[in-house]
């Protein structure tokens, strides 16, 4: 049943599943394709077996496999029903279940009729849309799986962080590979900036040509299967132009961390001649919005809202978009060092999500704070920049934070050595922050 080969731990997500083990809610694992959802189910199965559960209590169905992909939801229900052992608690694992029309009927019936603990995965937010959530309202918990963090990237590629003696006294952090070859933190971080965090890249080794072939496959599957084919299955005609969809992807990827409106995208595509064959058919802002929503549903991009700190309300205009994997962006656009500031923002945004924060852009007067991260009674303000060594840059990054008069922590993350304090504002090295 369980293939332990190349099964790396993802404790941040596994612990969330374990916390809800044997509790009523259906565990719904979501995230972009190939981000590790299937492996997470395998990790959970391994945990159950280590606890002493019998293999006969575990039922797995992967709907990417031909054996199951052509089933109806009634056939899914009957397949599981015939494998249930009376008097035993059963653990049901359904991978990429959104491929089955009416899947929610099978899941809900099994949940109600039998002593079962249910885990499902899906690569589309449509899985939890209002249409489906009515069946499972209040009875499901979502576990959002993201591509690898920098720390996970090191672990998946068999790198270790070691604290060694520095030639100039004191200690310094270095990276060791499995052959004990030494690299600097910056070298390892630069590799992360290039390859991104898709777990499959680590499986094939850090080879750019092979990595981009894998990322090409993931990207095209997201565009074709998760958007265009799904739209046809839903009998929707909102997303029909594959060329326009790709152009919008390229625009968003090229403008991560920038304030964007639907009308701006529409005008840019037209004015720059990007849609040469359809110059007389400029996409309306409403059309652009529909296409972007389809990308958000696949978890390829995430939207972040702006929050007016003084007015204490979210603003409806000029949000920003970040791409879930920086490796996919490099595959689409090529690696460009001039974009590094926004790339660092992208990495910090997803790291904050991994750490369980709700994240917004901060607006105060005419200034902007990159991120406001909140969790329970905790709030932290973050600015992200390449360096604070330039006086003008330092002033630009600190000024918005100095305008905020509350007592919550304020941090500037950069590639500088860090550990400085400006009027109570901490300057921290970004790479060290990612490793903590």
């Amino acid at each position: 049943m369980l293939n332990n080969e190349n099964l790396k731990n993802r404790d941040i997500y596994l612990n969330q599943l374990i916390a809800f083990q044997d509790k009523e809610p259906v565990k719904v694992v979501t995230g972009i394709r190939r981000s590790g959802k299937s492996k997470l189910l395998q990790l959970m199965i391994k945990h159950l077996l280590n606890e002493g559960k019998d293999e006969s209590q575990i039922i797995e169905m992967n709907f990417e496999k031909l054996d199951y992909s052509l089933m109806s939801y009634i056939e899914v229900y009957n397949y599981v029903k015939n494998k249930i052992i009376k008097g035993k608690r059963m653990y049901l694992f359904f991978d990429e279940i959104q491929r089955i029309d009416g899947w929610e009927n099978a899941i809900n019936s099994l949940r109600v009729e039998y002593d079962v603990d249910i885990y499902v995965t899906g690569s589309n937010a449509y899985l939890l849309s209002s249409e489906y959530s009515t069946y499972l309202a209040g009875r499901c918990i979502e576990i959002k799986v993201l591509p690898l963090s920098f720390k996970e990237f090191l672990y998946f590629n068999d790198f270790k962080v070691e604290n060694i003696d520095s030639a100039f006294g004191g200690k310094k952090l270095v990276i060791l590979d499995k052959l004990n070859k030494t690299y600097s933190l910056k070298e390892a971080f630069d590799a992360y900036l290039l390859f991104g965090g898709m777990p499959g890249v680590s499986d094939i080794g850090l080879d750019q040509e092979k990595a981009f072939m894998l990322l090409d496959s993931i990207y095209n599957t997201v565009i074709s299967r998760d958007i265009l084919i799904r739209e046809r299955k839903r009998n929707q005609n909102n997303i029909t132009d594959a060329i326009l969809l790709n152009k919008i992807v390229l625009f968003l990827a090229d403008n991560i961390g920038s304030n964007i409106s639907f009308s701006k995208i529409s005008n840019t595509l037209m004015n720059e001649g990007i849609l040469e064959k359809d110059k007389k058919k400029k996409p309306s802002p409403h059309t652009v919005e529909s296409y972007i929503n389809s990308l958000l549903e696949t978890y390829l991009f995430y939207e972040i809202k702006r929050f007016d700190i003084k007015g204490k309300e979210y603003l409806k205009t000029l949000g920003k978009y970040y791409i879930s994997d920086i490796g996919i962006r490099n595959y689409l656009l090529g690696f460009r060092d001039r974009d590094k500031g926004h790339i660092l923002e992208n990495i910090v945004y997803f790291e904050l999500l991994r750490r369980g924060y709700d994240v917004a852009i901060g607006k105060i007067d005419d200034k902007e704070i990159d991120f406001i991260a909140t969790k329970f009674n905790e709030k932290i303000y973050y600015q992200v920049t390449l360096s604070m060594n330039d006086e003008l840059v330092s002033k630009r990054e600190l000024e918005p934070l100095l305008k905020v008069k509350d007592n919550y922590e304020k941090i500037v993350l950069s590639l500088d050595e860090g550990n400085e304090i400006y009027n109570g504002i901490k300057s921290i090295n970004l790479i060290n922050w990612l490793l903590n």
Side-chain angles (χ1 to χ4, degrees), residues 8-14 35-36 40 43 145-159 161 192 196-199 202 350-351 354 434-435:
K8 299 274 191 176
N9 287 330
R10 302 287 303 272
D11 288 344
I12 186 174
Y13 306 114
L14 179 60
S35 58
L40 179 60
L43 286 168
V145 174
L146 294 168
L148 303 177
S149 67
F150 177 51
K151 197 170 184 179
E152 288 178 314
F153 173 82
L154 296 176
Y155 163 61
F156 269 59
N157 287 285
D158 297 317
F159 293 123
V161 181
Y192 182 60
M198 283 298 181
S202 300
F350 284 103
E351 183 65 21
R354 286 186 194 92
L434 291 170
L435 291 174

Side-chain angles (χ1 to χ4, degrees), residues 190 193-194 212 329-331 333-337 340 343:
D190 285 344
L193 295 183
L194 174 62
F212 279 16
R329 182 182 188 268
N330 293 332
Y331 152 72
L333 301 176
F335 183 80
R336 300 180 305 193
D337 203 50
K340 203 166 185 178
I343 291 173

Side-chain angles (χ1 to χ4, degrees), residues 15 35 60 63 82 122-123 130 170 181 188 201 248 257 278 291 306 373 388:
N15 289 338
S35 58
E60 293 180 79
F63 295 98
N82 292 332
S123 298
S130 58
K181 185 177 179 180
V201 172
I248 291 174
D278 295 309
Y291 277 66
R306 297 165 77 225
M388 291 284 283

Side-chain angles (χ1 to χ4, degrees), residues 37 61 117 137 145 182 212 373 384 415 423:
K37 301 183 298 298
M61 300 181 76
D117 193 19
V145 174
T182 303
F212 279 16
V384 183
L415 297 181
N423 295 321

Side-chain angles (χ1 to χ4, degrees), residues 26-29 41 92 94 97 103 107 118-122 127:
V26 175
K27 276 62 73 175
V28 182
V29 179
L41 293 192
L92 314 182
F94 302 101
I97 198 169
W103 64 269
I107 295 298
I118 302 176
Y119 303 79
V120 307
T121 78
L127 188 77

Side-chain angles (χ1 to χ4, degrees), residues 259 304-308 314-315 317-318 361 363 368:
N259 291 318
I304 178 172
K305 298 292 188 182
R306 297 165 77 225
F307 184 78
D308 187 332
Y314 285 95
L315 304 173
T317 58
L318 295 177
I361 306 161
K363 176 187 176 296
E368 195 169 272

Side-chain angles (χ1 to χ4, degrees), residues 203-393:
D203 293 338
I204 61 176
L206 299 181
D207 178 291
Q208 186 172 339
E209 184 177 353
K210 291 179 181 177
F212 279 16
M213 288 176 63
L214 174 67
L215 295 173
D216 171 77
S217 171
I218 295 170
Y219 173 72
N220 284 302
T221 302
V222 169
I223 295 300
S224 64
R225 184 184 296 177
D226 292 340
I227 298 180
L228 297 173
I229 293 175
R230 192 201 76 229
E231 283 287 306
R232 289 199 292 271
K233 286 181 67 176
R234 288 165 59 186
N235 294 317
Q236 299 288 322
N237 294 313
N238 295 329
I239 316 297
T240 57
D241 189 336
I243 293 175
L244 176 59
L245 181 61
N246 277 289
K247 296 300 184 184
I248 291 174
V249 169
L250 292 174
F251 182 93
L252 293 180
D254 199 26
N255 289 275
I256 54 171
S258 299
N259 291 318
I260 288 175
S261 68
F262 302 133
S263 58
K264 178 182 178 181
I265 296 174
S266 177
N267 291 332
T268 301
L269 293 179
M270 186 63 148
N271 295 337
E272 295 185 2
I274 295 175
L275 299 175
E276 293 179 5
K277 294 181 180 179
D278 295 309
K279 282 189 176 180
K280 295 181 180 179
K281 296 181 181 179
K282 183 176 79 169
S284 69
H286 178 72
T287 298
V288 172
E289 181 180 12
S290 295
Y291 277 66
I292 289 179
N293 285 340
S294 73
L295 294 168
L296 297 177
E297 282 189 345
T298 65
Y299 307 101
L300 180 59
F301 289 93
Y302 283 60
E303 182 182 18
I304 178 172
K305 298 292 188 182
R306 297 165 77 225
F307 184 78
D308 187 332
I309 295 171
K310 287 188 174 179
K312 296 184 178 179
E313 63 178 356
Y314 285 95
L315 304 173
K316 295 180 180 179
T317 58
L318 295 177
K320 294 183 179 182
Y321 297 89
Y322 291 103
I323 192 166
S324 59
D325 180 63
I326 212 68
I328 292 179
R329 182 182 188 268
N330 293 332
Y331 152 72
L332 292 170
L333 301 176
F335 183 80
R336 300 180 305 193
D337 203 50
R338 65 180 172 82
D339 296 336
K340 203 166 185 178
H342 281 157
I343 291 173
L344 296 183
E345 276 184 41
N346 202 102
I347 287 169
V348 170
Y349 170 67
F350 284 103
E351 183 65 21
L352 290 170
L353 293 185
R354 286 186 194 92
R355 298 182 185 191
Y357 289 99
D358 292 320
V359 189
I361 306 161
K363 176 187 176 296
I364 184 161
D365 297 331
D366 60 342
K367 304 297 180 183
E368 195 169 272
I369 295 171
D370 289 331
F371 302 117
I372 307 173
T374 57
K375 180 166 57 176
F376 306 115
N377 293 322
E378 182 183 3
K379 181 187 291 184
I380 307 174
Y381 299 93
Y382 286 99
Q383 292 286 65
V384 183
T385 187
L386 279 171
S387 174
M388 291 284 283
N389 290 331
D390 183 279
E391 187 175 341
L392 290 177
V393 172

